[in-house]
Amino acid sequence: MAESTYRREFQASQVEVQKLQHQLDSAVQVFDQQSLVLSPAARQARQKDLQTMQQHMEQRSSELQDHLQQREQELLGPLRARITSVIQGIRAEMNYALILDADAAGGFVAAWDPALNITPRVLQRLTQAQ
């Protein structure tokens, strides 16, 4: 349910951005067709209008992207946390050091034994070498 809600919201955002892009493209096309007959002042005013449209589209796209990221976290965050918890439980139960997600590009690490983190040891040796 959360995933389908997110997909619907994502698609609605995409449609809105595509609509804004289409409006901008149409306005640019009209400007290109009329630019030769426009006075320099009118041409400059139309160019400013097009820049304003472009900025509005970019701002709205950014707002939608931010909103989608927030909604993704709200809707899918609890599911991801539950999946991670289950994977970590199985990792500990089976005494696995590392679990990879074979379907993820590059073999995403799905779970690992925190004892495998060698960062403190590296930092210790670095400070000893000074």
Side-chain angles (χ1 to χ4, degrees):
M1 175 138 150
E3 189 174 343
S4 65
T5 299
Y6 176 76
R7 282 186 184 161
R8 273 194 315 275
E9 291 179 15
F10 178 81
Q11 289 172 346
S13 294
Q14 292 295 331
V15 167
E16 184 175 343
V17 169
Q18 288 173 352
K19 181 180 174 183
L20 290 171
Q21 182 65 53
H22 179 71
Q23 289 172 348
L24 178 61
D25 291 345
S26 294
V28 167
Q29 187 177 23
V30 167
F31 172 75
D32 287 344
Q33 291 171 353
Q34 296 176 350
S35 67
L36 294 176
V37 295
L38 294 174
S39 69
R43 188 177 310 116
Q44 187 175 19
R46 290 273 176 97
Q47 286 174 329
K48 186 174 180 181
D49 290 344
L50 291 174
Q51 288 172 346
T52 300
M53 284 180 73
Q54 174 74 32
Q55 290 169 349
H56 171 72
M57 186 192 77
E58 290 171 359
Q59 179 182 357
R60 184 61 184 146
S61 179
S62 179
E63 289 170 358
L64 289 169
Q65 184 67 28
D66 291 345
H67 175 74
L68 282 173
Q69 287 175 349
Q70 179 183 357
R71 289 295 287 162
E72 179 181 23
Q73 184 60 33
E74 290 171 6
L75 294 169
L76 302 178
L79 176 61
R80 289 182 181 139
R82 176 79 176 119
I83 291 168
T84 299
S85 176
V86 168
I87 291 172
Q88 286 288 9
I90 292 170
R91 185 202 59 76
E93 177 185 318
M94 303 296 291
N95 201 25
Y96 294 144
L98 181 72
I99 296 176
L100 299 175
D101 182 350
D103 288 336
F108 175 75
V109 176
W112 63 91
D113 182 347
L116 296 174
N117 184 354
I118 65 167
T119 303
R121 185 178 294 164
V122 170
L123 292 174
Q124 179 185 17
R125 289 190 185 174
L126 285 171
T127 56
Q128 286 175 351
Q130 291 179 348

CSV table of all heavy atoms in Angstrom, one decimal, residues 27-59:
chain,number,residue,atom,x,y,z
A,27,ALA,N,6.2,27.7,-25.4
A,27,ALA,CA,6.5,29.2,-25.4
A,27,ALA,C,7.8,29.5,-26.1
A,27,ALA,O,7.9,30.5,-26.8
A,27,ALA,CB,6.6,29.6,-24.0
A,28,VAL,N,8.8,28.6,-26.0
A,28,VAL,CA,10.1,28.8,-26.7
A,28,VAL,C,9.9,28.7,-28.2
A,28,VAL,O,10.4,29.5,-29.0
A,28,VAL,CB,11.2,27.9,-26.2
A,28,VAL,CG1,12.4,27.8,-27.2
A,28,VAL,CG2,11.6,28.2,-24.8
A,29,GLN,N,9.1,27.7,-28.6
A,29,GLN,CA,8.8,27.6,-30.0
A,29,GLN,C,8.1,28.8,-30.6
A,29,GLN,O,8.4,29.3,-31.7
A,29,GLN,CB,7.9,26.3,-30.2
A,29,GLN,CG,7.7,25.9,-31.7
A,29,GLN,CD,7.0,24.6,-31.8
A,29,GLN,OE1,6.2,24.2,-30.9
A,29,GLN,NE2,7.1,24.0,-33.0
A,30,VAL,N,7.1,29.3,-29.9
A,30,VAL,CA,6.4,30.5,-30.4
A,30,VAL,C,7.3,31.7,-30.4
A,30,VAL,O,7.3,32.4,-31.4
A,30,VAL,CB,5.2,30.8,-29.4
A,30,VAL,CG1,4.6,32.2,-29.7
A,30,VAL,CG2,4.1,29.8,-29.6
A,31,PHE,N,8.2,31.8,-29.4
A,31,PHE,CA,9.1,32.9,-29.4
A,31,PHE,C,10.1,32.8,-30.6
A,31,PHE,O,10.3,33.8,-31.3
A,31,PHE,CB,10.0,32.9,-28.1
A,31,PHE,CG,11.1,33.9,-28.1
A,31,PHE,CD1,10.9,35.2,-28.0
A,31,PHE,CD2,12.4,33.4,-28.3
A,31,PHE,CE1,11.9,36.1,-28.0
A,31,PHE,CE2,13.5,34.3,-28.4
A,31,PHE,CZ,13.2,35.7,-28.2
A,32,ASP,N,10.6,31.6,-30.9
A,32,ASP,CA,11.5,31.4,-32.0
A,32,ASP,C,10.8,31.8,-33.4
A,32,ASP,O,11.4,32.3,-34.2
A,32,ASP,CB,11.9,29.9,-32.1
A,32,ASP,CG,12.9,29.6,-31.0
A,32,ASP,OD1,13.5,30.5,-30.4
A,32,ASP,OD2,13.1,28.4,-30.8
A,33,GLN,N,9.5,31.4,-33.5
A,33,GLN,CA,8.8,31.8,-34.7
A,33,GLN,C,8.5,33.3,-34.8
A,33,GLN,O,8.5,33.8,-35.9
A,33,GLN,CB,7.4,31.0,-34.7
A,33,GLN,CG,7.6,29.5,-34.9
A,33,GLN,CD,6.2,28.8,-34.7
A,33,GLN,OE1,5.2,29.4,-34.3
A,33,GLN,NE2,6.3,27.5,-34.9
A,34,GLN,N,8.3,33.9,-33.7
A,34,GLN,CA,8.0,35.4,-33.8
A,34,GLN,C,9.1,36.3,-33.5
A,34,GLN,O,9.0,37.5,-33.7
A,34,GLN,CB,6.9,35.7,-32.7
A,34,GLN,CG,5.6,34.9,-32.9
A,34,GLN,CD,4.6,35.2,-31.8
A,34,GLN,OE1,5.0,35.7,-30.7
A,34,GLN,NE2,3.4,34.8,-32.0
A,35,SER,N,10.3,35.8,-33.2
A,35,SER,CA,11.4,36.7,-32.7
A,35,SER,C,11.9,37.6,-33.8
A,35,SER,O,12.3,38.7,-33.5
A,35,SER,CB,12.6,35.8,-32.2
A,35,SER,OG,13.1,35.1,-33.2
A,36,LEU,N,11.8,37.2,-35.1
A,36,LEU,CA,12.2,38.1,-36.2
A,36,LEU,C,11.4,39.3,-36.3
A,36,LEU,O,11.9,40.4,-36.8
A,36,LEU,CB,12.3,37.3,-37.5
A,36,LEU,CG,13.4,36.2,-37.5
A,36,LEU,CD1,13.3,35.4,-38.8
A,36,LEU,CD2,14.8,36.8,-37.3
A,37,VAL,N,10.1,39.2,-36.0
A,37,VAL,CA,9.2,40.3,-36.2
A,37,VAL,C,9.0,41.2,-35.0
A,37,VAL,O,8.3,42.2,-35.0
A,37,VAL,CB,7.8,39.8,-36.8
A,37,VAL,CG1,8.0,39.2,-38.1
A,37,VAL,CG2,7.1,38.9,-35.8
A,38,LEU,N,9.5,40.7,-33.9
A,38,LEU,CA,9.4,41.5,-32.6
A,38,LEU,C,10.4,42.6,-32.6
A,38,LEU,O,11.5,42.5,-33.1
A,38,LEU,CB,9.6,40.6,-31.4
A,38,LEU,CG,8.6,39.5,-31.2
A,38,LEU,CD1,9.1,38.6,-30.0
A,38,LEU,CD2,7.2,40.0,-30.9
A,39,SER,N,10.0,43.7,-31.9
A,39,SER,CA,10.9,44.8,-31.7
A,39,SER,C,12.0,44.3,-30.6
A,39,SER,O,11.7,43.3,-29.9
A,39,SER,CB,10.2,46.0,-31.1
A,39,SER,OG,9.7,45.7,-29.8
A,40,PRO,N,13.1,44.9,-30.6
A,40,PRO,CA,14.1,44.5,-29.6
A,40,PRO,C,13.6,44.6,-28.2
A,40,PRO,O,13.9,43.7,-27.4
A,40,PRO,CB,15.3,45.6,-29.8
A,40,PRO,CG,15.1,46.0,-31.2
A,40,PRO,CD,13.6,46.0,-31.5
A,41,ALA,N,12.8,45.5,-27.8
A,41,ALA,CA,12.2,45.6,-26.5
A,41,ALA,C,11.3,44.4,-26.2
A,41,ALA,O,11.3,43.8,-25.2
A,41,ALA,CB,11.5,46.9,-26.3
A,42,ALA,N,10.4,44.2,-27.2
A,42,ALA,CA,9.5,43.0,-27.1
A,42,ALA,C,10.2,41.7,-27.0
A,42,ALA,O,9.9,40.8,-26.2
A,42,ALA,CB,8.5,43.0,-28.2
A,43,ARG,N,11.3,41.6,-27.8
A,43,ARG,CA,12.1,40.4,-27.8
A,43,ARG,C,12.7,40.2,-26.4
A,43,ARG,O,12.7,39.1,-25.9
A,43,ARG,CB,13.1,40.4,-28.9
A,43,ARG,CG,13.9,39.1,-29.1
A,43,ARG,CD,14.9,39.1,-30.2
A,43,ARG,NE,14.3,39.6,-31.5
A,43,ARG,CZ,14.7,40.7,-32.1
A,43,ARG,NH1,15.7,41.4,-31.6
A,43,ARG,NH2,14.2,41.0,-33.2
A,44,GLN,N,13.3,41.2,-25.9
A,44,GLN,CA,13.9,41.2,-24.6
A,44,GLN,C,12.9,40.8,-23.5
A,44,GLN,O,13.1,40.0,-22.6
A,44,GLN,CB,14.6,42.5,-24.3
A,44,GLN,CG,15.4,42.5,-23.0
A,44,GLN,CD,16.2,43.8,-22.8
A,44,GLN,OE1,15.8,44.8,-23.4
A,44,GLN,NE2,17.2,43.7,-22.0
A,45,ALA,N,11.7,41.4,-23.6
A,45,ALA,CA,10.6,41.1,-22.6
A,45,ALA,C,10.2,39.6,-22.7
A,45,ALA,O,10.0,39.0,-21.7
A,45,ALA,CB,9.4,42.0,-22.9
A,46,ARG,N,10.1,39.1,-23.9
A,46,ARG,CA,9.7,37.7,-24.1
A,46,ARG,C,10.8,36.8,-23.6
A,46,ARG,O,10.5,35.8,-22.9
A,46,ARG,CB,9.4,37.4,-25.6
A,46,ARG,CG,8.2,38.0,-26.1
A,46,ARG,CD,7.0,37.1,-25.9
A,46,ARG,NE,5.8,37.7,-26.3
A,46,ARG,CZ,5.2,37.5,-27.5
A,46,ARG,NH1,5.7,36.6,-28.3
A,46,ARG,NH2,4.1,38.1,-27.8
A,47,GLN,N,12.1,37.2,-23.8
A,47,GLN,CA,13.2,36.4,-23.3
A,47,GLN,C,13.1,36.3,-21.7
A,47,GLN,O,13.4,35.3,-21.1
A,47,GLN,CB,14.5,36.9,-23.8
A,47,GLN,CG,14.8,36.6,-25.2
A,47,GLN,CD,16.0,37.3,-25.7
A,47,GLN,OE1,16.4,38.3,-25.3
A,47,GLN,NE2,16.7,36.6,-26.7
A,48,LYS,N,12.8,37.5,-21.2
A,48,LYS,CA,12.7,37.5,-19.7
A,48,LYS,C,11.6,36.6,-19.2
A,48,LYS,O,11.7,35.9,-18.2
A,48,LYS,CB,12.6,39.0,-19.2
A,48,LYS,CG,12.6,39.1,-17.7
A,48,LYS,CD,12.5,40.6,-17.3
A,48,LYS,CE,12.6,40.6,-15.8
A,48,LYS,NZ,12.5,41.9,-15.2
A,49,ASP,N,10.5,36.7,-19.9
A,49,ASP,CA,9.3,35.8,-19.6
A,49,ASP,C,9.7,34.4,-19.6
A,49,ASP,O,9.4,33.6,-18.8
A,49,ASP,CB,8.1,36.1,-20.5
A,49,ASP,CG,7.5,37.4,-20.2
A,49,ASP,OD1,7.7,38.1,-19.2
A,49,ASP,OD2,6.7,37.9,-21.1
A,50,LEU,N,10.5,34.0,-20.7
A,50,LEU,CA,10.9,32.6,-20.8
A,50,LEU,C,11.9,32.2,-19.7
A,50,LEU,O,11.8,31.1,-19.2
A,50,LEU,CB,11.6,32.4,-22.2
A,50,LEU,CG,10.6,32.5,-23.4
A,50,LEU,CD1,11.5,32.4,-24.7
A,50,LEU,CD2,9.6,31.4,-23.4
A,51,GLN,N,12.7,33.1,-19.3
A,51,GLN,CA,13.6,32.8,-18.2
A,51,GLN,C,12.9,32.6,-16.9
A,51,GLN,O,13.2,31.7,-16.1
A,51,GLN,CB,14.7,33.9,-18.1
A,51,GLN,CG,15.7,34.0,-19.2
A,51,GLN,CD,16.6,35.2,-19.1
A,51,GLN,OE1,16.3,36.2,-18.4
A,51,GLN,NE2,17.7,35.2,-19.8
A,52,THR,N,11.9,33.4,-16.7
A,52,THR,CA,11.0,33.3,-15.5
A,52,THR,C,10.3,32.0,-15.5
A,52,THR,O,10.2,31.3,-14.5
A,52,THR,CB,10.0,34.5,-15.5
A,52,THR,OG1,10.7,35.7,-15.4
A,52,THR,CG2,9.1,34.4,-14.3
A,53,MET,N,9.8,31.6,-16.7
A,53,MET,CA,9.1,30.3,-16.8
A,53,MET,C,10.1,29.2,-16.5
A,53,MET,O,9.7,28.2,-15.8
A,53,MET,CB,8.5,30.1,-18.2
A,53,MET,CG,7.3,30.9,-18.5
A,53,MET,SD,6.7,30.6,-20.2
A,53,MET,CE,6.0,28.9,-20.0
A,54,GLN,N,11.3,29.3,-17.0
A,54,GLN,CA,12.3,28.2,-16.8
A,54,GLN,C,12.6,28.2,-15.3
A,54,GLN,O,12.7,27.1,-14.7
A,54,GLN,CB,13.6,28.6,-17.6
A,54,GLN,CG,14.8,27.7,-17.3
A,54,GLN,CD,14.6,26.3,-17.9
A,54,GLN,OE1,14.0,26.2,-19.0
A,54,GLN,NE2,15.1,25.3,-17.3
A,55,GLN,N,12.8,29.3,-14.7
A,55,GLN,CA,13.1,29.3,-13.2
A,55,GLN,C,11.9,28.7,-12.4
A,55,GLN,O,12.2,28.0,-11.5
A,55,GLN,CB,13.4,30.7,-12.8
A,55,GLN,CG,14.7,31.3,-13.3
A,55,GLN,CD,14.9,32.8,-13.0
A,55,GLN,OE1,14.0,33.5,-12.7
A,55,GLN,NE2,16.1,33.2,-13.2
A,56,HIS,N,10.7,29.1,-12.8
A,56,HIS,CA,9.5,28.5,-12.1
A,56,HIS,C,9.5,27.0,-12.3
A,56,HIS,O,9.2,26.3,-11.3
A,56,HIS,CB,8.3,29.1,-12.7
A,56,HIS,CG,7.0,28.5,-12.2
A,56,HIS,ND1,6.6,28.6,-10.9
A,56,HIS,CD2,6.1,27.7,-12.8
A,56,HIS,CE1,5.5,27.9,-10.7
A,56,HIS,NE2,5.2,27.3,-11.9
A,57,MET,N,9.8,26.5,-13.5
A,57,MET,CA,9.7,25.1,-13.7
A,57,MET,C,10.8,24.4,-12.8
A,57,MET,O,10.6,23.4,-12.2
A,57,MET,CB,10.0,24.8,-15.2
A,57,MET,CG,9.8,23.3,-15.5
A,57,MET,SD,10.4,22.9,-17.1
A,57,MET,CE,12.1,22.9,-16.8
A,58,GLU,N,12.0,25.0,-12.8
A,58,GLU,CA,13.1,24.4,-12.0
A,58,GLU,C,12.8,24.4,-10.5
A,58,GLU,O,13.0,23.4,-9.8
A,58,GLU,CB,14.4,25.1,-12.3
A,58,GLU,CG,15.0,24.8,-13.7
A,58,GLU,CD,16.1,25.7,-14.1
A,58,GLU,OE1,16.6,26.6,-13.2
A,58,GLU,OE2,16.7,25.5,-15.2
A,59,GLN,N,12.2,25.5,-10.1
A,59,GLN,CA,11.9,25.6,-8.7
A,59,GLN,C,10.8,24.6,-8.3
A,59,GLN,O,10.9,23.9,-7.3
A,59,GLN,CB,11.4,27.0,-8.3
A,59,GLN,CG,11.0,27.2,-6.9
A,59,GLN,CD,10.4,28.6,-6.6
A,59,GLN,OE1,10.4,29.5,-7.5
A,59,GLN,NE2,10.0,28.9,-5.4
